[in-house]
Amino acid sequence: MSTTLPRTMITHTSEVQHALEVAEKRWPGQRPSALLLRLIEEGAHVVEAGNDELAARQRAVVAEVAGKYTGMFGPGYLEELREGWPE
């Protein structure tokens, strides 16, 4: 099929062949190229979901520690600290 889009060739390594066999069980009767497209789409969804979960966990940690150390350093702390630094 003619296209102006970039193309990517994939060698059927043992890992790729295994992925195709797994995909064939889920989507029987499809050509390897169609199976690879489906695997790529499914993989993208899984990665996106994982990114969303990671971001949610990170937000939860930030919320947990937010304000926890308020007041730990008194007024003028940075100025006092900087007094000991050379110019």
Side-chain angles (χ1 to χ4, degrees):
M1 170 181 338
S2 183
T3 181
T4 59
L5 298 174
R7 292 178 180 260
T8 304
M9 294 177 60
I10 299 176
T11 301
H12 287 220
T13 62
S14 58
E15 294 86 359
V16 170
Q17 189 58 45
H18 173 71
L20 286 169
E21 290 167 5
V22 170
E24 223 284 318
K25 290 177 184 173
R26 182 161 183 186
W27 302 293
Q30 297 208 12
R31 297 181 329 270
S33 59
L35 293 172
L36 287 170
L37 286 173
R38 286 193 168 220
L39 286 170
I40 290 167
E41 291 168 357
E42 290 286 321
H45 291 304
V46 169
V47 170
E48 283 177 335
N51 288 343
D52 292 345
E53 290 173 20
L54 174 61
R57 287 195 310 268
Q58 290 171 335
R59 283 191 299 275
V61 169
V62 169
E64 182 180 326
V65 298
K68 190 172 185 177
Y69 301 104
T70 300
M72 186 173 205
F73 301 102
Y77 168 77
L78 284 179
E79 289 77 18
E80 291 175 23
L81 180 66
R82 290 179 182 138
E83 285 176 7
W85 292 353
E87 294 287 327

